[in-house]
Amino acid sequence: MAEATPMDTDPQQTENPDGMYPIAVLLDELKHDDVSLRLNAVRRLGTIALALGVERTREELVPFLDESIDDEDEVLLALAEELGSFVEYVGGPAYAHVLLLPLENLAAVEETVVRDKAVESLSKISTVFSPGQVEEHFLPLVKRLSSGDWFTSRTSACGLYAPVYDRCTPAIRDELRKGFSVLCRDDTPMVRRAAATNLSKMIGKVSKDHLIADLLPLFNGLSQDDQDSVRLLTVEALIAIAKVLSAPESKTHLLQVMRNLCSDKSWRVRYMVAEKFVEMSKAVGDVLVREELILAYVHVLKDSEAEVRTAAATQIPGFSALIDRDAILRNILPCVQTLVSDASQHVRASLATHITGLAPLLGKDNTIEHLLPLFLQLLKDEAPEVRLNIISKLDLVNNVIGIELLSQSLLPAIVELAEDKQWRVRLAIIENIPLLASHLGQDFFDEKLSNLCMQWLGDAVFSIREAATANLRKLTEVFGVDWAKRTIIPKVLELSSNQNYLYRMTTLFALTTLAQVVTPEVVKDLIVPTVITLSADPIPNIRFNVAKSFEQLTPILRKPELGNTLNGDVRGTLNKLNEDPDVDVRYYAHRALIAAQ
Amino acid sequence: MSGDDESGWRFAQCFGDKGDVEDVTEADIISAVEFDETGDYLATGDKGGRVVLFERNEGKKGCEYKFYTEFQSHEPEFDYLKSLEIEEKINKIRWCKRQNAAHFLLSTNDKTIKLWKIFEKSIKVVAENNCSEGDGAVGRFTRDSLKLPKLVHHDTMIAAIPRKIYSNAHAYHINSISVNSDGETYLSADDLRINLWNLNVADQSFNIVDIKPVNMEELTEVITAAEFHPLSCNTFMYSSSKGTIKLADMRMAALCDQHAKLFEEEEDPQNKSFFSEIISSISDVKFTRDGRYIVSRDYLTLKVWDINMESKPVQTILIHDLRSKLCDLYENDCIFDKFECTVSGDGSHVLTGSYSNYFHIYDRNGKNDIVLQADKSAFKAKKAGSAKNKPTATVGKGKVSKKEELLNVDALDFGKKILHASWHPRENTVALAATNNLFLFQQV
């Protein structure tokens, strides 16, 4: 052994220098003047810790990190995150508590994101603690933070009760609930907000008895807070409590609060209720939904504030799924009919996205009778966003009433939108065409829509032309190569001799895209010759796009069925383009030639 | 020895260049004064975009302040899109509730609001690290020779850093900012709109009031000031150039165009003149700290409103009777001066400024008008006499001439005016901006 020692260190010295030098640099960079270097060093703390070994990490690195508390927020954020997964570097769970020191300080800084991350990391570390460690190290920390002078540490404390609760002895649990209740009654709204946010997590941890005895009063208190911003957070807690309680218990304990929240003076609270209506309804159970919430929901749908109606509209299908068809027709539908002509376009847009979800619930006949007229009205809405939303959700309706009926009633509207002034609307229509086509069938499509598809190729907006070429490809996938060869390719080829160079360009793009889905014969007989013809175009833009097009086509042109096309005509064309007077054309031709090698 | 003696108000301190007013640098003119919520700190902003902080001098008895720190809050900018110069002048300063050892305040110029953090920063320098020798010998390091950088304390300084910059939300000039009691939001008002911000979110604000007519030719009024209710987080008020104050409730709707209360006094048609509208424009509104009363200032008067009575103010106090001079004041633009008003911590007294560096302190019932002058005379008086009795005598003597001068409006110096003032939240100490000087007066 005595001999072995120098032997052992020797290789270390010849082998490790390479390994240790970067570590030395990283260590120095932890305190570099440049923030980005510090940030980078903190991101690699794991590497540093590995190199230092667990003992030095515990005794030197972690205390050192704690001193960095006055650094930039982004560095602190990274530090808070890294420390969350640092347990293995300090020697495993048995030593995990040494990490609490820097994290406790990070949990008290003023920047919210840093604090939140520190709390997240603290919760994460707490999961590996033994009950002894929790008691000895974690709980004192929670207490210190909870009684901190500044609200910043107290808000952080709110998030630390739930993670360890179920691993504590009953006596400590009592204490924890007490501590948490103090935070719920804090003077500072910020702390009460944090407490209200974390209340739902606590609810999931405590026993039902304690929930009713201890947390319910806290919940009631917060739900009547002076600050809107606190009250609105209790909606989440209400859902959490309702999930634990049985339906009759919910009714006893929550009904009044729920009523208050639904009719709160502040629209922000009602907004929160509206947004979570389905979740809340599911949590409290069928009976309360029938007895209480249908009417409450109707109120929310008719709220005076547009923001609330917008949120309420998102819940229409979800909530309707919880009640029977008659109730939908009787209660929800009249509101929906009003909302279709709501004064706020945001409400109508939200409605347009969600209204189609009613179709499966109402069934075919009701959809035809009640919903179709509404769809038509939304399709004709003055706001493009509304039209857009309804179009993109029509597939749901299609499943219920069938394409025949849908196309009969909606096709005129769709055709009208296909020529809408707003290009985004046209774009949305194009994106839905392949879907419509697959349902409509070939004949119907050829008759009604194919002209439209060709028309888009000549659209004034590039995005539309681009989408139109992609559309052709998708249509070919739907209807097959023969159909494409017969109907669209001839029309595209026709465009290649159009006077306007933009049309010729579109041809080029369309052909390149179509080449990916058609048979080699079509490529060889129809596509390649046309592209070659375009290589003599007077506009350089077209010529270099020919080169680019060939570059993209190379993999296809290599297929054996295409014989000598690549090495013959195509290479010849590219060679010619490579001597083009225009520098861009030469550049792309050169690239294509390299690809063709 | 009359009023002053009983009231006990006396000059305490004066900061700034004490030379003649004639050669004041424009950038040094103070444009905002504000105590923090404890009264231990005082901030001023000036036309040069600087913010200066003063700290309570614990060493002295009485309420004295000393310089704490100074920083450049705003720089002059140019809006290339609209071809407009944006002045660096600080329009308003508002302190945020303290959340740790640092101080936070909002400062704004015409367009951009900034959240500043002011804190004691310990500057540390790296004394020792791995590669400092510069040879960077790759082979030098072993696991054991690696060391953590060693830092030594170098210096402590007071640093001010902009934590958030809330920009691009105002098309017109920002006239007010106000922090909400919920601790997380604040409002900012310009001529036509009021926006609501979250202190933590700099790139997003919500419009809560918009009085911009579709057609700008139909524009008849602008927003002149806005403030949150000190206790109720949903309520705020804003005043207009038409002399109205509107109270709005954010709970009712996202956009508060529908006010909850409208405080307005019917104008006597007999007094109507070319200047009526200009002089009825409200230049500042403040809540008392309990939120029960509203104090508003227009060109000639100070009004106290009971929040429960919209029809008329409970008190109207004539500050200076300049009705005969309005033509001249219009000519020299003084009629557009925006006098602020401020309320004492207990809500019992109100303060507002006038010309010739006079300012008035009234009790809320409009009786007991105390007139003081934030002028070099006060400053010299203190210097000349021993602290014990002479100031009272001087001020007392001054009062006679003051009354005369106030009656004789022709003698007023319209170049000297007290526009900005702030009242210590817990004590009877007031801070006033007189051109480039900051004056502190206190009641002993």
Side-chain angles (χ1 to χ4, degrees), chain A residues 71-88:
Chain A
D71 208 333
E72 301 284 330
D73 290 333
E74 47 184 332
V75 180
L76 296 183
L77 179 65
L79 183 59
E81 190 175 354
E82 292 299 325
L83 288 175
S85 34
F86 225 59
V87 173
E88 53 170 314

Side-chain angles (χ1 to χ4, degrees), chain B residues 37-49:
Chain B
E37 56 168 345
T38 61
D40 291 341
Y41 291 86
L42 172 65
T44 64
D46 64 27
K47 287 196 170 175

Side-chain angles (χ1 to χ4, degrees), chain B residues 9 55 62 69 131 135 159 214 251 291 354 383 442:
Chain B
W9 280 96
E55 165 185 43
T69 188
C131 308
D135 55 299
V214 182
R251 288 175 297 189
S354 175
K383 233 181 173 179
Q442 63 190 178

Side-chain angles (χ1 to χ4, degrees), chain A residues 28 56 73 111 228 267 305, chain B residues 131 146 163 234 251 254:
Chain A
D28 289 354
R56 288 193 68 191
D73 290 333
E111 178 54 50
D228 308 348
W267 69 268
E305 173 55 42
Chain B
C131 308
L146 286 177
R163 290 279 304 175
N234 314 297
R251 288 175 297 189

Side-chain angles (χ1 to χ4, degrees), chain B residues 260-277:
Chain B
K261 288 189 175 193
L262 171 65
F263 300 89
E264 186 175 22
E265 190 176 26
E266 286 288 332
E267 198 197 349
D268 184 355
Q270 285 192 321
N271 289 341
K272 206 160 175 74
S273 74
F274 173 74
F275 302 110
S276 318
E277 197 166 318

Side-chain angles (χ1 to χ4, degrees), chain A residues 17 21 24 27-28 31 51 56 60 64 73 110-112 150-152 190 193 227-228 265-267 305, chain B residues 99-100 104 117 129-131 138-139 141 143 146 148-149 151 163 182 184 200 233-234 250-251 253-254:
Chain A
Y21 177 66
L27 274 170
D28 289 354
K31 284 294 164 203
R56 288 193 68 191
E60 294 178 49
F64 169 80
D73 290 333
E110 76 223 16
E111 178 54 50
T112 320
W150 304 108
F151 78 82
T152 43
M190 281 72 99
R193 272 199 291 277
Q227 299 278 344
D228 308 348
K265 264 189 99 169
S266 167
W267 69 268
E305 173 55 42
Chain B
Q99 48 177 314
N100 55 26
F104 289 84
K117 175 189 179 183
N129 63 9
N130 294 300
C131 308
V138 172
F141 298 103
R143 179 185 291 255
L146 286 177
L148 289 156
L151 296 175
R163 290 279 304 175
D182 68 6
E184 75 170 352
N200 287 321
C233 65
N234 314 297
M250 294 199 295
R251 288 175 297 189

